[in-house]
Amino acid sequence: MSNAKSYIQTVALRDVKCHAFHGYYPEEQLTGIYFMVDVVVTFVHTGDTENLNHTVNYEVLNTILLEEMANTQKMLETVVRRILDRVIDTYPFVRTGKVGIRKMNPPMPGEIGHSFVELSYEAAQ
C-alpha cells in the first residue's frame, strides 16, 4: 500500500476587468465595453511548492488573458477559446481549465448586469 499523496492544485484569476472592443455589431467595436474575465485551471501538484516551474504562473495567465482581450473578435466564444487554447499550450500538464467572460451591461433593452460565455476543458485520461 502506497502512502503517496496526490494533490490537485487550482490556480485562478477572477474578475479581471478589461475594456475591449469585442462585439458582433460594428458600434460595439467602435466604443468598446467593460468585460470581467475568469480563468481557472487545475493540475496534479508535484509537491515542490517553492518552484515556479512546477505550477501555473498566474502572471502568465494574466498576460495571455490581456493579449487575447486586446485582439478584437466578433464573438466572445472565439475569445474564450483562444485564451483556453493558449493556456493549455503553455501548460500541457493542466488537467482542467475554464475561461469565462462577462460582458458588463450589454447594450440591449432592459437592465442587464452582464451576459456570459464560458468554455471548459478536461484532459483525456
Side-chain angles (χ1 to χ4, degrees):
M1 181 189 282
S2 172
N3 286 336
K5 296 177 183 168
S6 179
Y7 296 101
I8 303 298
Q9 177 88 30
T10 300
V11 173
L13 293 175
R14 299 236 188 241
D15 298 330
V16 179
K17 188 176 184 179
C18 303
H19 186 267
F21 298 89
H22 305 299
Y24 185 78
Y25 300 105
E27 57 272 12
E28 293 178 291
Q29 293 187 7
L30 290 174
T31 59
I33 196 164
Y34 281 99
F35 297 87
M36 300 293 272
V37 184
D38 297 328
V39 179
V40 180
V41 297
T42 66
F43 55 95
V44 176
H45 190 273
T46 64
D48 185 356
T49 60
E50 292 297 315
N51 187 335
L52 197 54
N53 294 322
H54 293 166
T55 189
V56 172
N57 184 337
Y58 51 79
E59 290 178 291
V60 173
L61 292 181
N62 191 51
T63 297
I64 291 169
L65 182 159
L66 293 176
E67 287 174 358
E68 292 303 330
M69 288 302 290
N71 184 7
T72 300
Q73 303 292 331
K74 285 185 177 181
M75 303 293 288
L76 290 179
E77 288 83 345
T78 303
V79 183
V80 295
R81 178 66 181 262
R82 290 174 61 101
I83 292 170
L84 193 52
D85 283 348
R86 283 189 59 192
V87 170
I88 295 163
D89 289 346
T90 303
Y91 298 106
F93 56 85
V94 163
R95 181 180 278 183
T96 66
K98 187 180 291 187
V99 175
I101 299 178
R102 288 168 284 164
K103 181 185 278 190
M104 308 310 293
N105 307 111
M108 61 180 93
E111 291 187 32
I112 302 168
H114 67 268
S115 56
F116 185 74
V117 174
E118 183 175 83
L119 185 64
S120 298
Y121 163 83
E122 185 172 336
Q125 298 290 341

